Amino acid sequence: MELKKMPNSHCRNLNPKGFTLLELLISITILVMVITTVYAAFSTGLKAQKKQEEANYRNQSLRQAWRMMARDLRCAYVSDTNKNAIFIGEHNTGAGNSDKITFVTALPGTGSKYGGLAVVSYYVSPGKGLIKENKGFPSYAPEETEGRLFEAAPLVKSLDITYFDGKNWSEEWGTENSKISSFSLPLQVQIKFVFENDKKPVTELIPVYVKK
């Protein structure tokens, strides 16, 4: 019995057809485009999340700094009969070329083991932000001369303070360059915070003393 030879066309149909080089290139290109798009979306999401976290941390730092300074300033205390009970605002004398404010506060829980009156200072320290320094009030705690430091707001890089006496705003209060007595309190204190990576200052106004 003689076997018939099958045509070559039938033999070619029995083998699966593979991908051509062009098809592979097109597939790889599409895959790269998809991966690039997904990565770009993921990266954008991460940047947005990081930016939001930084904004939240900045706002939290601002609230903490303002709340702490407002609480202490509203309880500021001066006395004509006690030379230690004074209010001093120095312009551009603190570390980092920022203002410094020093006063006595009558707020309990000042950090002194005696409680009650204590001397507090606020200034900016490079790399540490807004610093609050507590010292014992000399009349009550003369041995507490070394201040205890607290990082009130780490993101603050500059502090600018002005004082209102009822008529004018002044950059200093109770210093040799100021005509205002350190045994008096300003009516209001305006504080400008400048935060890291932010050139625009944030301004807060704090009432200190109400004339009777």
Side-chain angles (χ1 to χ4, degrees):
M1 183 178 179
E2 184 180 357
L3 296 175
K4 293 184 178 180
K5 187 177 180 180
M6 296 181 65
N8 293 335
S9 59
H10 292 285
C11 293
R12 288 196 299 268
N13 291 337
L14 293 176
N15 296 326
K17 185 178 180 181
F19 291 104
T20 64
L21 178 60
L22 180 60
E23 290 172 334
L24 287 174
L25 291 175
I26 293 174
S27 300
I28 293 174
T29 302
I30 295 175
L31 179 61
V32 170
M33 292 176 63
V34 172
I35 294 175
T36 302
T37 303
V38 172
Y39 176 78
F42 181 72
S43 178
T44 302
L46 287 179
K47 290 180 180 179
Q49 181 181 1
K50 183 179 179 180
K51 187 175 182 180
Q52 184 61 43
E53 290 177 352
E54 290 177 351
N56 292 339
Y57 186 46
R58 173 184 174 278
N59 292 334
Q60 181 182 357
S61 182
L62 171 62
R63 287 194 298 269
Q64 178 175 318
W66 179 85
R67 188 182 301 114
M68 188 176 295
M69 294 188 72
R71 180 188 62 187
D72 289 344
L73 282 168
R74 287 167 181 166
C75 295
Y77 168 77
V78 293
S79 174
D80 294 333
T81 59
N82 191 325
K83 65 179 182 179
N84 296 313
I86 57 178
F87 190 103
I88 298 178
E90 303 170 84
H91 181 60
N92 289 337
T93 57
N97 199 34
S98 290
D99 292 353
K100 181 178 181 179
I101 184 172
T102 302
F103 57 95
V104 176
T105 178
L107 183 69
T110 54
S112 171
K113 64 182 180 181
Y114 294 92
L117 297 180
V119 181
V120 297
S121 297
Y122 285 94
Y123 56 89
V124 171
S125 177
K128 295 183 179 180
L130 180 65
I131 298 296
K132 176 183 178 180
E133 181 178 355
N134 279 359
K135 292 182 180 180
F137 186 60
S139 299
Y140 296 162
E143 73 278 13
E144 293 185 4
T145 56
E146 184 176 352
R148 290 169 297 279
L149 304 181
F150 302 91
E151 294 185 8
L155 292 181
V156 175
K157 68 176 183 180
S158 179
L159 180 66
D160 182 69
I161 307 175
T162 52
Y163 310 89
F164 184 62
D165 63 2
K167 295 181 179 180
N168 303 304
W169 286 93
S170 304
E171 293 183 334
E172 296 196 13
W173 189 279
T175 64
E176 294 181 356
N177 299 326
S178 172
K179 297 180 181 180
I180 304 173
S181 171
S182 59
F183 295 100
S184 62
L185 290 175
L187 296 182
Q188 294 179 327
V189 173
Q190 181 176 269
I191 302 173
K192 291 183 180 180
F193 300 101
V194 177
F195 290 84
E196 294 289 345
N197 303 322
D198 192 353
K199 297 181 180 180
K200 185 179 180 181
V202 178
T203 303
E204 299 290 348
L205 192 62
I206 302 174
V208 178
Y209 174 70
V210 179
K211 289 184 176 181
K212 298 180 181 180

